[in-house]
């Protein structure tokens, strides 16, 4: 890691306002299509690992562990650009998403919309979750 | 409000997993360009008012009050579609944003990016905050 990269990481981490649990929400967006893929949580280490490796890492609140997106499913996220909002309490990750971002096999986690008839599924799954996580 | 609308609102609210404070994060995205504008928080009442009126409402954690986006600044958000993620703990609001979503006068709150040289501003403000909130 170059000294310049270390400086950027420090500047980003210093700009983030982590919540009481040491976390910040991160929105992952496909960099070219603009599709919002998912929202997950990052801690300081997840931000550092993401910027250092170029592969998006999150903090799993349920498993209480650092997690490289796609480490089990192969559905990785390559970081294209990290942005931070005006008050530093949310991140926006522009990414290159391989395959399905959602554990259901959907490209995006936001596949249900409120329409006249109620909540409806508005897209088709790309993959069978069994194929992504099974065995 | 029609009975059908009431049913949709109930179905959405029932599908949301609110946090311990009764809140859920909501990502606002310009419906046609795909630009991610901001992330804010909604409670049950904010969701109900948004779906009922078609104008996006949030819950202000600092002011502890319901807030119609643009009520002071005029920079309103008309709801085009509300989506919910796979596990119901985040909302995505596709909106028609009038002017600047950010209180700084920027179109989007995510106007700073981590680049080689550090955090840099990657867009120009649309408006002077003084003009939006002054007087």
């Amino acid at each position: 890691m170059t000294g310049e990269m270390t400086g950027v990481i420090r500047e980003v981490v210093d700009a983030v306002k982590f919540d009481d649990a040491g976390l910040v929400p991160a929105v992952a967006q496909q960099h070219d299509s603009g599709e919002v893929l998912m929202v997950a949580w990052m801690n300081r280490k997840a931000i550092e690992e993401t910027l250092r490796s170029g592969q998006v890492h999150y903090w799993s609140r349920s498993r209480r562990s650092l997690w490289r997106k796609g480490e089990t499913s192969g559905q990785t996220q390559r970081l294209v650009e990290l942005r931070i909002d005006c008050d530093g309490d949310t991140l926006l990750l522009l990414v290159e998403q391989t395959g399905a971002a959602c554990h259901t096999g959907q490209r995006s986690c936001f596949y249900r919309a409120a329409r006249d008839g109620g909540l409806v599924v508005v897209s088709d799954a790309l993959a069978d979750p069994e194929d992504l996580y099974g065995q």
Side-chain angles (χ1 to χ4, degrees), chain A residues 11-18 23-24 47 84 87-89 91:
Chain A
E11 191 171 341
V12 169
V13 168
D14 285 351
V16 172
K17 289 195 189 124
F18 295 99
L23 302 177
V24 60
I47 295 170
I84 184 168
D87 51 7
D89 65 3
L91 301 177

Side-chain angles (χ1 to χ4, degrees), chain A residues 60-74:
Chain A
S60 168
R61 295 182 299 174
S62 55
R63 297 193 302 273
R64 300 192 60 77
S65 64
L66 196 70
W67 151 60
R68 181 173 59 76
K69 175 68 180 166
E71 65 187 11
T72 304
S73 66

Side-chain angles (χ1 to χ4, degrees), chain A residues 56-118:
Chain A
V56 178
H57 291 63
Y58 297 105
W59 175 258
S60 168
R61 295 182 299 174
S62 55
R63 297 193 302 273
R64 300 192 60 77
S65 64
L66 196 70
W67 151 60
R68 181 173 59 76
K69 175 68 180 166
E71 65 187 11
T72 304
S73 66
Q75 313 292 283
T76 55
Q77 287 179 350
R78 179 174 65 77
L79 183 70
V80 175
E81 186 163 275
L82 180 147
R83 295 192 184 174
I84 184 168
D85 77 346
C86 49
D87 51 7
D89 65 3
T90 314
L91 301 177
L92 174 64
L93 309 174
L94 304 180
V95 303
E96 175 63 40
Q97 170 71 50
T98 298
C102 186
H103 74 286
T104 62
Q106 288 272 354
R107 173 76 172 167
S108 164
C109 293
F110 297 95
Y111 57 85
R112 292 180 295 165
R115 299 268 172 94
D116 282 351

Side-chain angles (χ1 to χ4, degrees), chain A residues 34-48:
Chain A
E35 191 175 14
V36 173
L37 299 166
M38 58 185 283
V39 174
W41 294 82
M42 302 179 91
N43 61 2
R44 179 185 174 125
K45 182 77 172 170
I47 295 170
E48 290 171 348

Side-chain angles (χ1 to χ4, degrees), chain A residues 17-30:
Chain A
K17 289 195 189 124
F18 295 99
D19 69 11
D20 292 344
L23 302 177
V24 60
V27 180
Q29 180 180 36
Q30 173 65 28

